[in-house]
Amino acid sequence: MGYSQNSLFVFLLLVLVYGVSSTTFTVVNQCSYTVWPGLLSGAGTAPLPTTGFSLNPTETRVIQIPAAWSGRIWGRTLCTQDATTGKFTCVTGDCGSSAVECSGSGAAPPATLAEFTLNGAGGLDFYDVSLVDGYNIPMAIVPQGGGDASGVAGNCTITGCVAELNGPCPAQLKVATTTGTADGVGCKSACEAFGTPEYCCSGAFGTPDTCKPSEYSLFFKNACPRAYSYAYDDGTSTFTCAGADYLITFCPSPNPSVKSAKKEGVLEPEAVSYSSASPTLSTVFSVGVLAVGVWALQRV
């Protein structure tokens, strides 16, 4: 097989795996500490080029996502590698792979999750930020350059949980470090903390009619109104878009100069588009869009 045939074979293989078009995820760390994102593809969907990596403060990573992909992304924190065994572990969000790459393993709760189903029903992307498995880090999703099925970009809602909840987390849910610091490093869901059917929406409580918000899920919902707070929180927590790329940010924070220029709680339709002139310019503009979105999330 000649060089040109090899190139054609590789191209066709990429088309089969990623589809004719793909989505771009831009993952940004605005925390003051290193975050190790983990990525897990859903059953039957194409694997990603990476399943885990490190992001230093202010660092950005761009990932090409296959068409019709579904899965989740989360942040691992307080990670270390044993100097003797080489085993890699994290205090929160650990995927149990003993390595930076998660290689098909999901996050141990508590972990804030960004969940996606791309090119789903009606050609729409479905996405949410979920606290159903608890919380460990602030996180936001900003759609960029997309629209709903009718092409209205304004319906591509910014979502996330931008509040810091490890400190105010109820004592029954709080995850403390081995040093016993008061602030904690994570906040469990009531299901994880107590394991009972009424909190886990299982058994006799396995339907939307029987499983209702609890005082613990309301702690998450009141702090982050657009995030999933328990299993049947779909109505106010799942959002759709079409043909978009997505900016996923850890520790998003509002920019005062941006928020003062916007109407209270209102995002303009063009706020979910960005320049494609260069990767650097796109990232800078995206962070500006994120700042406006974070302010809107705080005012919900």
Side-chain angles (χ1 to χ4, degrees):
M1 186 180 288
Y3 175 79
S4 59
Q5 289 177 309
N6 281 329
S7 300
L8 178 60
F9 174 77
V10 171
F11 172 76
L12 291 175
L13 180 63
L14 289 173
V15 168
L16 286 173
V17 173
Y18 286 92
V20 175
S21 62
S22 63
T23 298
T24 297
F25 283 180
T26 301
V27 186
V28 180
N29 179 16
Q30 289 187 191
C31 303
S32 60
Y33 49 86
T34 301
V35 175
W36 287 261
L39 302 94
L40 177 66
S41 297
T45 61
L48 298 181
T50 180
T51 60
F53 52 91
S54 66
L55 272 185
N56 293 322
T58 74
E59 194 174 0
T60 296
R61 179 79 171 259
V62 177
I63 307 169
Q64 294 301 317
I65 307 297
W69 181 81
S70 67
R72 52 182 50 177
I73 299 175
W74 68 96
R76 294 170 287 174
T77 65
L78 301 170
C79 301
T80 56
Q81 187 166 22
D82 188 280
T84 302
T85 65
K87 183 178 181 181
F88 179 83
T89 57
C90 303
V91 175
T92 73
D94 189 71
C95 57
S97 66
S98 300
V100 174
E101 293 275 349
C102 285
S103 303
S105 298
T112 312
L113 305 175
E115 302 178 312
F116 292 88
T117 297
L118 304 180
N119 196 26
L124 291 172
D125 298 341
F126 294 79
Y127 59 96
D128 65 81
V129 168
S130 174
L131 307 181
V132 175
D133 286 348
Y135 167 100
N136 71 328
I137 191 171
M139 199 173 186
I141 299 173
V142 180
Q144 299 178 312
D148 67 4
S150 61
V152 181
N155 288 346
C156 296
T157 304
I158 295 169
T159 188
C161 182
V162 303
E164 206 299 307
L165 300 182
N166 291 329
C169 179
Q172 302 94 319
L173 309 182
K174 184 172 290 190
V175 177
T177 63
T178 54
T179 58
T181 58
D183 286 344
V185 295
C187 193
K188 296 179 182 180
S189 67
C191 177
E192 175 71 13
F194 307 117
T196 56
E198 63 267 32
Y199 292 129
C200 296
C201 294
S202 60
F205 297 88
T207 69
D209 291 331
T210 57
C211 194
K212 301 297 183 182
S214 68
E215 61 177 306
Y216 300 109
S217 70
L218 288 174
F219 163 75
F220 293 117
K221 196 65 176 177
N222 290 335
C224 302
R226 291 184 184 174
Y228 256 97
S229 60
Y230 79 109
Y232 294 113
D233 198 12
D234 306 65
T236 59
S237 306
T238 301
F239 302 95
T240 59
C241 196
D245 294 323
Y246 294 92
L247 174 68
I248 302 160
T249 303
F250 298 107
C251 301
S253 58
N255 183 329
S257 64
V258 175
K259 72 179 184 182
S260 62
K262 295 295 177 180
K263 295 179 181 179
E264 182 173 319
V266 176
L267 285 175
E268 297 175 1
E270 62 270 21
V272 290
S273 63
Y274 68 103
S275 170
S276 58
S278 72
T280 301
L281 179 59
S282 298
T283 300
V284 170
F285 190 89
S286 297
V287 171
V289 171
L290 173 66
V292 180
V294 168
W295 176 68
L297 285 173
Q298 292 176 324
R299 302 303 297 266
V300 171

